[in-house]
Amino acid sequence: MTDKRGGVESFLMNTTSSIDSSRVVFDYIVNTGTVAYEDELQKRGSAVIHVPMRAEHPLSFYRYIDSFFKKNANRYDAIWVNVCSLANIDYLKYAKKYGIKTRVIHCHNSRNMDSRVRGLLHIFNKYRIRDYATDFWTCSDEATDWFYGAAIRHDANYRVINNSVDVRKFEFNPLVRSAVREEWGVTDNDIVVGNVGRLHPQKNQSFLIDAFSLVQKDLPGATLFIAGQGELKNQLQTRIEQTGLVGKIHLLGEIKDTASFYQGLDVFAFPSLYEGLSIALLEAQANGVPAVISTGNPENAVINPNVIRIPTERLEGWAEAIKNSIGNRLANSENRFAHSAFNSLSQSDFLEGFFLKAGRQK
């Protein structure tokens, strides 16, 4: 958990909220001052343990986590570390040192998205992870090769844990759609394109702005809403100004209610350069909105027939795909997502059973 409502945070909330909290309770060890969903976590009985950030206060970090695990390891049946790289595996090391028997590492990305130094740390720890983890989970087989190496697939404790969402929260609702679009100031006849993601080079929103500028030439009433926060905000705002589309492209910042956001869209556009398996894409498909996505998204991320997967080398092709997707929203009865392995209810059954078993072993 971090202070952002990103993909990993959404995954954890989607899956753990479907688990019976009278049987399994998760505490969260984090290194930011506050975390996304902190109030909701505490209402479910979870403790949120704040530790110093290793990069900023290394000595304090190591003193704190050594003390924490020494005092508290006997209270826990398992540790479940959700990360986008192996740059920091210290939680697993201390969990092993102080006797937590079930130690899960869970991969959530397919490429280094951090600094070169953290990339090198990832490679170094990639060859040591078996010394500290007992179970090796991944969001997709495609992400596995970079994160662990292909050989891990033969380990008895390797498992693909599909990123998942609760389809009941995202089902299309025309009343919510009307309310959201009224709030945005768009009519029923206007075309709305949307994107959800951190404002980061990985998410490639600058490409989306350029593709949308081509859409806008043919559909001058179209509007693009980008939801998310990140380090590229100022660059993207400058790019919007350069295209002359101020007032037609809006950076919304972080939004708490993504379920309502998808209701208001006519097309979801997601040109990421690479993904493990995007929660935002799953949420969009749970809603039934048509989607245009990059080939940086794995093939198994496509569940619904109204999703177009297209390379980002083709700017004009992207613009055409967005225009061709308008009007292709699936009715709830047609939506395949509810019956897929990406519905969080099916994932939560496994997770609850796994952690209950860890407790019995203890």
Side-chain angles (χ1 to χ4, degrees), residues 166-181:
D166 185 344
V167 69
R168 298 168 298 183
K169 296 179 181 179
F170 292 89
E171 284 183 333
F172 179 63
N173 185 322
L175 295 178
V176 176
R177 175 181 172 83
S178 295
V180 169
R181 289 171 74 93

Side-chain angles (χ1 to χ4, degrees), residues 114-261:
D114 294 313
S115 66
R116 184 172 180 271
V117 171
R118 285 182 64 83
L120 292 172
L121 285 171
H122 169 82
I123 294 171
F124 178 69
N125 288 329
K126 183 175 177 177
Y127 298 102
R128 307 166 65 222
I129 191 62
R130 288 178 186 256
D131 294 336
Y132 302 105
T134 59
D135 294 80
F136 309 90
W137 295 355
T138 182
C139 59
S140 69
D141 277 326
E142 288 86 347
T144 294
D145 292 356
W146 171 75
F147 196 89
Y148 297 114
I152 201 75
R153 298 185 193 188
H154 304 296
D155 192 289
N157 293 328
Y158 168 78
R159 186 181 180 94
V160 176
I161 303 289
N162 290 318
N163 285 354
S164 57
V165 301
D166 185 344
V167 69
R168 298 168 298 183
K169 296 179 181 179
F170 292 89
E171 284 183 333
F172 179 63
N173 185 322
L175 295 178
V176 176
R177 175 181 172 83
S178 295
V180 169
R181 289 171 74 93
E182 182 178 351
E183 181 182 332
W184 287 345
V186 297
T187 70
D188 289 341
N189 296 323
D190 292 329
I191 302 302
V192 178
V193 180
N195 171 270
V196 177
R198 195 157 55 98
L199 307 184
H200 182 277
Q202 174 194 1
K203 303 299 182 180
N204 206 19
Q205 284 106 342
S206 60
F207 172 88
L208 176 57
I209 290 170
D210 291 343
F212 179 77
S213 68
L214 298 181
V215 173
Q216 240 273 329
K217 289 179 181 178
D218 293 331
L219 301 171
T223 306
L224 170 63
F225 290 97
I226 298 174
Q229 63 181 9
E231 60 266 40
L232 295 186
K233 179 180 178 180
N234 292 338
Q235 291 182 34
L236 293 175
Q237 189 60 54
T238 299
R239 187 65 189 143
I240 292 168
E241 294 167 3
Q242 290 171 343
T243 59
L245 292 176
V246 174
K248 290 295 183 179
I249 303 178
H250 303 273
L251 301 179
L252 299 181
E254 183 178 81
I255 58 174
K256 293 186 177 180
D257 185 7
T258 55
S260 294
F261 178 81

Side-chain angles (χ1 to χ4, degrees), residues 305-326:
N306 61 345
V307 178
I308 299 174
R309 192 165 169 269
I310 184 171
T312 51
E313 289 80 12
R314 299 169 53 193
L315 188 65
E316 295 80 5
W318 258 76
E320 287 300 314
I322 290 172
K323 289 185 289 184
N324 292 337
S325 295
I326 296 167

Side-chain angles (χ1 to χ4, degrees), residues 31 42 60 80 108 149 166 190 200 250 256 303 344 360:
N31 61 12
Q42 291 173 339
S60 297
W80 177 20
H108 286 277
D166 185 344
D190 292 329
H200 182 277
H250 303 273
K256 293 186 177 180
I303 299 111
S344 61
R360 288 194 297 269

